[in-house]
């Protein structure tokens, strides 16, 4: 059973809709507005006008000291939000507010669609025309729009006569489940959205915020202020001014359908060709990934077949040549490795990965001096943060029994991870380091320390990795930024625990060694017989 309060509210809305001829917007002409344009929505070819009787709302600028965001779980987030609202209470509405009349507030914004975005981001098999029709249709469908915008509930399609007044192709009105705390600690405002669609171009949204229980008043204001946002004639659309964008676009946007008259035909041809190549590249990349998965389990035959299939689709797929080079190295096929590398070098001669794998070929086939020079080239000419070059230089020093120099290279590799992590924590620009790479660096260094019988130091390296791994896993729930990305496989974690067990054996800590050996076994590590016997004692 509905409560009386809810029934009366519903009855009030229904009576109001009947009073308007069952239409929220029923005016045959635009209401009274300022003659001067308040602002422009250039991306959707629209103008904004201030309704008569409304005042322009100032929008206080937040000081830099609080003009940022924190994760909601951060203990400081609530206080930060309170400080912001103390300066600008209108932030409670979550959209910029422009106009006010009594306790009614109006804001607006825009979204746009572009043919340019189709060429950049589309990953399905839709043609340009199919994409255009699909984009227009879902943006005119209440069932699609409602769930997309935080629980909007459809109220009305605006009638065609009203649409002509603002040159819109479709307009819909939605109420929302979202409530707002405006200058209060409890929910006291709600919202209605007028959703204005211009086919082939974009959407303008006008937000009406009103006190809870005053929906009829808000609906009357929508009817009276119909025309806050108006689309200009389609023929007057020109490229929006993007000169202030960072980075500044090299070319203008491309448009769908009736706005395609602005497109440069040569630019369209280039984008079509790039899109075709991107699709081929995507198909080839998928095959290469399948090949990598085969290579991971040492199924070299199927791995090679996938890489070669990728090259049939995209003969210039550099990643396929890179993986074929690694595959030849795994099989100690020197000439094949060099041939694949030559093809790779033609496609990406300035990539650090290209030159790193060259160094690996030289190292594998005992050209250590050449390998050393190549790894130095990677760091000096292409990427000073390419930590793997330091690790390989360290391994060459180990082969030459120069442990001091090797340790310096290990330290240099790990220092890269440390510095980039510190930059991330300070909010500075930083390299996104991968968790698997960190695992490789820590594991190689720990085993090097073990070979020198520095068991305490080696154990510390692996425990440091596990702490970083746990922090990485919990970063989202703790509301702190990630400083390292990606994942590692269970077998990698198993190796960490296995080697920790080895270190604790040498440190004569039986409880700890058993603990880590058991963990390694749980993660799938096949333990040597002597370790299995230890666990049975």
């Amino acid at each position: 059973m509905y409560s009386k309060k809810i029934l009366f509210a519903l009855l009030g809305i229904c009576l109001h809709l009947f009073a308007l001829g069952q239409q929220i917007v029923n005016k045959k002409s635009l209401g009274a507005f300022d003659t001067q344009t308040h602002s422009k929505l250039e991306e959707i070819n629209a103008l904004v006008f201030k309704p008569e009787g409304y005042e322009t709302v100032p929008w206080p600028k937040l000081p830099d000291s609080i003009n940022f965001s924190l994760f909601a779980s951060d203990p400081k987030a609530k206080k930060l939000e309170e400080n912001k609202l103390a300066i600008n209470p209108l932030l409670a509405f979550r959209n910029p507010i422009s106009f006010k009349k009594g306790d009614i507030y109006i804001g607006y914004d825009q979204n746009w669609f572009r043919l340019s975005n189709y060429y950049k981001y589309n990953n399905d098999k839709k043609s340009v025309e199919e994409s255009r029709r699909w984009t227009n249709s879902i943006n005119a469908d209440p069932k699609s729009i409602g769930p997309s915008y935080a629980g909007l509930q459809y109220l009305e399609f605006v009638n065609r006569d009203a649409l002509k007044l603002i040159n819109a192709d479709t307009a819909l009105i939605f109420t929302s489940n979202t409530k707002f705390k405006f200058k209060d600690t409890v929910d006291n405002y709600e919202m209605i959205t007028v959703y204005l669609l211009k086919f082939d171009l974009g959407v303008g949204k006008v937000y009406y915020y009103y006190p809870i229980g005053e929906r009829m008043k808000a609906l009357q204001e929508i009817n009276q202020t119909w025309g806050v946002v108006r689309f200009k004639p389609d023929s007057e659309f020109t490229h929006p001014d993007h000169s202030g964008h960072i980075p500044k676009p090299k070319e203008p946007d491309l448009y769908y359908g009736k706005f395609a008259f602005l497109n440069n035909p040569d630019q369209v041809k280039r984008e079509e060709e790039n899109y075709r190549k991107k699709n081929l590249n995507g198909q080839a990349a998928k095959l290469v990934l399948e090949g990598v998965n085969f290579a991971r389990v040492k199924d070299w035959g199927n791995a090679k077949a996938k890489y070669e299939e990728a090259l049939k689709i995209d003969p210039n797929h550099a990643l396929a040549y890179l993986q074929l080079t690694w595959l030849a190295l795994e099989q100690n096929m020197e000439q094949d490795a060099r041939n694949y590398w030559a093809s790779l070098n033609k496609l990406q001669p300035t990539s650090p990965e290209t030159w790193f794998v060259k160094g690996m070929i030289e190292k594998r086939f005992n050209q250590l001096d050449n390998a050393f020079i190549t790894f130095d080239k990677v760091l000096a000419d292409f990427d000073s943060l390419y930590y793997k070059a330091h690790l390989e230089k360290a391994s060459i020093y180990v082969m030459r029994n120069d442990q001091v120099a090797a340790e310096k290279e290990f330290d240099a590799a790990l220092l890269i991870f440390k510095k980039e992590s510190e930059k991330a924590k300070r909010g500075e620009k930083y390299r996104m380091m991968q968790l698997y790479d960190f695992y490789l660096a820590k594991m190689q260094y720990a085993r090097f320390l073990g070979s020198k019988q520095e068991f305490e130091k080696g154990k510390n390296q692996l425990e440091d990795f596990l702490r970083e791994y746990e922090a990485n896993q919990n970063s989202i729930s703790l509301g702190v930024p990630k400083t390292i990305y990606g994942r590692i496989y269970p077998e990698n974690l198993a190796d960490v625990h296995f080697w920790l067990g080895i270190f604790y054996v040498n440190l004569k800590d039986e409880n700890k060694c058993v603990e880590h050996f058991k963990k390694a076994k749980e993660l799938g590590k096949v333990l040597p017989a002597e370790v299995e016997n230890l666990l049975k004692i």
Side-chain angles (χ1 to χ4, degrees):
M1 292 291 292
Y2 292 110
S3 70
K4 288 184 178 180
K5 184 176 181 181
I6 293 174
L7 286 172
F8 278 120
L10 291 172
L11 179 61
I13 293 169
C14 291
L15 289 173
H16 176 70
L17 293 176
F18 281 119
L20 292 178
Q22 293 186 320
Q23 291 178 334
I24 296 170
V25 176
N26 68 344
K27 289 180 69 66
K28 303 299 183 185
S29 62
L30 292 173
F33 293 86
D34 282 2
T35 54
Q36 286 190 326
T37 302
H38 176 267
S39 62
K40 299 178 181 179
L41 300 176
E42 290 188 332
E43 300 290 349
I44 59 170
N45 196 35
L47 302 174
V48 180
F49 296 87
K50 182 170 77 69
E52 192 174 86
Y54 279 75
E55 58 183 289
T56 302
V57 177
W59 193 260
K61 187 176 184 299
L62 297 176
D64 292 340
S65 59
I66 62 171
N67 195 15
F68 61 92
S69 298
L70 293 171
F71 286 96
S73 55
D74 191 307
K76 299 177 183 177
K78 185 177 179 181
K79 184 63 177 176
L80 176 66
E81 192 68 18
E82 290 172 355
N83 290 340
K84 289 181 179 181
L85 290 171
I87 294 172
N88 185 359
L90 295 170
L91 288 170
F93 294 132
R94 304 174 199 170
N95 285 301
I97 301 299
S98 295
F99 309 124
K100 172 190 175 184
K101 178 183 174 185
D103 52 12
I104 302 288
Y105 292 85
I106 300 177
Y108 56 85
D109 68 6
Q110 59 182 328
N111 299 111
W112 53 95
F113 354 112
R114 296 290 187 262
L115 176 59
S116 307
N117 289 341
Y118 168 87
Y119 288 131
K120 287 179 184 175
Y121 307 118
N122 187 57
N123 291 316
D124 57 34
K125 294 183 179 180
K126 292 187 185 74
S127 66
V128 168
E129 182 59 25
E130 287 169 339
S131 176
R132 170 185 173 248
R133 290 177 180 175
W134 179 81
T135 301
N136 286 335
S137 65
I138 65 166
N139 281 282
D141 182 1
K143 294 178 182 177
S144 298
I145 299 167
S148 300
Y149 291 95
L152 293 181
Q153 296 176 334
Y154 168 67
L155 289 180
E156 172 181 298
F157 265 109
V158 175
N159 68 75
R160 297 299 305 175
D161 290 336
L163 293 180
K164 292 176 184 177
L165 299 174
I166 64 167
N167 192 32
D169 291 315
T170 294
L172 304 96
I173 300 176
F174 296 89
T175 184
S176 172
N177 294 330
T178 306
K179 303 291 187 277
F180 307 91
K181 297 178 178 66
F182 180 54
K183 297 182 180 180
D184 208 332
T185 57
V186 296
D187 293 334
N188 60 348
Y189 263 75
E190 50 194 349
M191 174 184 75
I192 291 175
T193 300
V194 180
Y195 186 93
L196 310 169
L197 175 62
K198 171 58 63 175
F199 287 142
D200 299 336
L201 193 60
V203 171
K205 295 191 285 287
V206 185
Y207 307 105
Y208 289 81
Y209 297 93
Y210 58 93
I212 290 176
E214 296 287 341
R215 181 177 294 183
M216 267 182 30
K217 180 179 177 181
L219 293 173
Q220 290 170 344
E221 287 300 319
I222 291 171
N223 188 46
Q224 294 301 318
T225 60
W226 181 251
V228 171
V229 172
R230 306 172 206 169
F231 295 102
K232 295 189 292 184
D234 297 350
S235 60
E236 293 182 13
F237 182 53
T238 57
H239 288 295
D241 181 8
H242 290 166
S243 59
H245 287 203
I246 300 175
K248 183 179 177 181
K250 294 180 180 178
E251 294 185 296
D253 284 341
L254 297 174
Y255 304 93
Y256 283 113
K258 59 187 174 184
F259 298 99
F261 66 86
L262 286 174
N263 294 344
N264 179 327
D266 290 336
Q267 183 185 349
V268 172
K269 287 180 181 178
R270 287 197 305 275
E271 291 294 340
E272 286 176 345
E273 179 60 16
N274 290 337
Y275 179 70
R276 186 188 70 81
K277 289 179 179 178
K278 184 189 79 169
N279 278 351
L280 292 178
N281 185 276
Q283 294 173 44
K286 183 179 178 181
L287 290 167
V288 170
L289 180 59
E290 292 175 12
V292 169
N293 288 332
F294 280 122
R296 194 170 146 253
V297 294
K298 302 190 185 308
D299 186 346
W300 310 129
N302 277 320
K304 185 177 182 180
K306 289 294 182 181
Y307 301 148
E308 290 177 341
E309 188 179 349
L311 288 172
K312 288 178 183 177
I313 293 174
D314 181 4
N316 294 321
H317 197 78
L319 187 56
Y321 281 114
L322 175 64
Q323 294 302 332
L324 282 167
T325 307
W326 284 115
L327 190 64
L329 268 179
E330 288 285 351
Q331 297 175 289
N332 288 315
M333 301 168 66
E334 180 177 1
Q335 194 54 52
D336 283 357
R338 293 188 185 279
N339 290 341
Y340 289 135
W341 183 84
S343 298
L344 173 65
N345 190 42
K346 288 178 182 177
L347 295 171
Q348 49 180 42
T350 60
S351 166
E353 189 74 20
T354 299
W355 289 91
F356 177 74
V357 75
K358 179 179 187 289
M360 294 300 292
I361 294 170
E362 292 162 343
K363 181 187 169 197
R364 172 66 59 86
F365 299 108
N366 208 31
Q367 297 174 318
L368 299 184
D369 289 339
N370 289 343
F372 207 95
I373 292 169
T374 301
F375 293 136
D376 271 339
K377 181 180 178 68
V378 170
L379 292 164
D381 296 351
F382 300 118
D383 186 357
S384 63
L385 300 182
Y386 203 86
Y387 82 96
K388 287 187 282 189
H390 285 295
L391 294 182
E392 293 306 324
K393 287 175 67 179
S395 71
I396 292 174
Y397 279 127
V398 170
M399 294 165 70
R400 290 175 170 172
N401 203 29
D402 188 344
Q403 294 186 337
V404 173
E407 184 135 16
K408 288 181 180 178
E409 293 296 339
F410 281 120
D411 286 342
L414 291 169
L415 185 61
I416 291 171
F417 289 93
K418 181 181 178 182
K419 285 186 174 180
E420 297 309 303
S421 176
E422 289 171 349
K423 289 179 187 176
K425 291 173 182 175
R426 294 195 299 266
E428 299 173 6
K429 186 177 180 180
Y430 68 102
R431 173 76 61 86
M432 292 171 56
M433 307 302 287
Q434 295 294 312
L435 187 61
Y436 182 75
D437 292 339
F438 189 52
Y439 153 78
L440 287 178
K442 284 289 193 181
M443 180 62 78
Q444 289 186 36
Y445 187 34
R447 294 179 69 169
F448 166 73
L449 293 169
S451 71
K452 297 201 303 174
Q453 298 190 7
E454 296 184 27
F455 304 119
E456 182 70 25
K457 198 172 177 182
K459 178 264 298 183
N460 290 342
Q461 292 297 318
L462 295 183
E463 288 182 338
D464 180 58
F465 168 78
L466 289 178
R467 282 191 293 272
E468 185 67 37
Y469 172 75
E470 290 298 327
N472 180 72
Q473 297 297 103
N474 297 327
S475 61
I476 295 177
S477 61
L478 293 174
V480 296
K482 278 181 177 284
T483 60
I484 198 162
Y485 292 78
R487 63 171 184 162
I488 58 172
Y489 295 102
E491 58 260 37
N492 305 138
L493 273 179
D495 277 340
V496 172
H497 285 287
F498 176 76
W499 281 96
L500 275 169
I502 295 292
F503 285 122
Y504 275 113
V505 166
N506 287 279
L507 293 170
K508 297 180 173 53
D509 188 331
E510 183 177 337
N511 291 333
K512 282 288 187 180
C513 79
V514 169
E515 173 190 330
H516 286 288
F517 283 142
K518 284 183 175 179
K519 187 66 177 176
K521 187 174 182 178
E522 288 171 9
L523 290 165
K525 181 76 172 177
V526 178
L527 302 178
E530 54 268 38
V531 175
E532 286 283 8
N533 291 334
L534 173 66
L535 296 181
K536 292 176 183 177
I537 297 174

